[in-house]
């Protein structure tokens, strides 16, 4: 069965410090991968998605970047955090190509980032 | 920008009652999905309805879709305290790139 791991679960960082959130998927190949951000009490905002290694599409211009160094690894980074980067970050995967089922997303448990 | 808007923003009911949440969206879609999020957790997929379907059932869940009105509803029958969570609709227009609504916070009291 497929599983998705996301870490760290909680992070408190000072303004101007770097960020690295990591997400890995097990039990599937060539997944589509996504990073979403959820502000407190709000819906989800799609930040980045990837259809393959090294292929990243950005949805919202901002202080963050994403990378996919391996098929099932997705990393969210920042060189210098801003206060506005605080939020709940969610990684998700979906099937792709012939392996796609219904288009549903499978989410990790999230990483709560507080920038002080 | 967010495509879907859920209504109401918050809903408080007693166990055993039915809960109805609505979602409106703006553009053409291939499918509409509903997700559930327990506080501080990731989202869990509940049900998907395609644009050529009008109603779908899964256990205590019933979803309707009206593409002419660009709206959907999620009905949870015989609610339980464990149904307390936020519920989000998400619309897909291609490439499985879902756009989520703002969510309905459901509180089911024992």
């Amino acid at each position: 069965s497929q599983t998705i791991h996301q870490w760290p679960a909680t992070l408190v960082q000072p303004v101007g410090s770097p960020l690295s959130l990591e997400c890995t998927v097990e039990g599937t190949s060539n997944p589509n991968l996504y990073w979403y951000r959820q502000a407190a009490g709000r819906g989800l905002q799609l930040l980045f998605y990837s259809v393959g290694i090294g292929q990243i599409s950005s949805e919202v211009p901002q202080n963050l970047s994403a990378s996919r160094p391996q098929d099932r690894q997705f990393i969210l980074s920042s060189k210098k955090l801003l206060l506005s980067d605080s939020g709940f970050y969610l990684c998700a995967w979906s099937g792709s190509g012939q392996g796609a089922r219904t288009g549903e997303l499978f989410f990790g448990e999230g990483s709560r980032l507080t920038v002080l | 920008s967010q495509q879907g808007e859920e209504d109401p923003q918050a809903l408080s009911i007693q166990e055993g009652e039915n809960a109805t949440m609505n979602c409106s969206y703006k553009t053409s879609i291939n499918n509409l999905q509903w997700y559930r999020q327990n506080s501080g957790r990731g989202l869990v997929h509940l049900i998907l309805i395609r644009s050529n379907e009008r109603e779908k059932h899964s256990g205590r869940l019933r979803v309707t879709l009206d593409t002419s009105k660009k709206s959907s509803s999620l009905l949870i029958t015989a609610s339980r305290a464990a149904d307390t969570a936020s519920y989000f609709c998400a619309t897909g227009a291609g490439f499985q790139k879902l756009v989520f609504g703002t969510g309905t916070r459901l509180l089911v009291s024992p």
Side-chain angles (χ1 to χ4, degrees), chain A residues 8 10-21 78-86 112-116:
Chain A
T10 306
L11 199 58
V12 180
Q13 292 286 101
V15 169
S17 64
L19 171 73
S20 181
L21 301 179
S78 173
K79 292 182 179 179
K80 290 185 177 181
L81 285 168
L82 306 172
L83 286 174
S84 58
D85 291 325
S86 293
R112 185 164 303 284
L113 171 65
T114 303
V115 182
L116 302 175

Side-chain angles (χ1 to χ4, degrees), chain A:
Chain A
S1 64
Q2 301 91 356
T3 57
I4 178 169
H5 304 281
Q6 186 179 342
W7 70 93
T10 306
L11 199 58
V12 180
Q13 292 286 101
V15 169
S17 64
L19 171 73
S20 181
L21 301 179
E22 190 163 342
C23 172
T24 59
V25 180
E26 297 176 356
T28 188
S29 297
N30 194 32
N32 294 327
L33 296 172
Y34 308 81
W35 279 110
Y36 283 88
R37 177 169 61 196
Q38 184 177 32
R42 301 289 302 277
L44 277 71
Q45 179 187 38
L46 179 62
L47 302 176
F48 301 95
Y49 67 91
S50 171
V51 300
I53 296 174
Q55 301 180 60
I56 308 295
S57 295
S58 174
E59 288 296 297
V60 182
Q62 57 203 323
N63 187 40
L64 302 170
S65 62
S67 62
R68 185 171 178 173
Q70 299 180 45
D71 180 45
R72 291 169 290 176
Q73 183 185 27
F74 206 24
I75 298 171
L76 183 69
S77 304
S78 173
K79 292 182 179 179
K80 290 185 177 181
L81 285 168
L82 306 172
L83 286 174
S84 58
D85 291 325
S86 293
F88 191 50
Y89 290 83
L90 289 154
C91 180
W93 73 272
S94 69
S96 64
Q98 294 293 330
R101 293 193 300 147
T102 58
E104 65 186 275
L105 293 182
F106 301 90
F107 283 86
E109 286 300 312
S111 297
R112 185 164 303 284
L113 171 65
T114 303
V115 182
L116 302 175

Side-chain angles (χ1 to χ4, degrees), chain B residues 13-84:
Chain B
I13 60 174
Q14 299 290 317
E15 268 192 328
E17 296 180 339
N18 296 341
T20 299
M21 290 159 265
N22 303 297
C23 169
S24 60
Y25 58 92
K26 298 176 182 175
T27 61
S28 297
I29 61 172
N30 291 338
N31 66 73
L32 187 144
Q33 303 179 34
W34 285 90
Y35 287 78
R36 165 194 170 126
Q37 183 182 33
N38 286 357
S39 181
R41 306 291 297 274
L43 280 73
V44 176
H45 180 265
L46 293 176
I47 194 167
L48 177 151
I49 186 166
R50 301 190 188 283
S51 59
N52 61 353
E53 297 176 311
R54 292 296 169 258
E55 187 171 313
K56 202 162 185 179
H57 297 256
S58 177
R60 294 185 294 114
L61 304 180
R62 172 179 170 253
V63 170
T64 62
L65 178 64
D66 187 335
T67 53
S68 67
K69 295 181 179 178
K70 291 185 168 59
S71 67
S72 172
S73 68
L74 171 67
L75 169 67
I76 303 175
T77 59
S79 296
R80 306 165 182 168
D83 294 327
T84 294

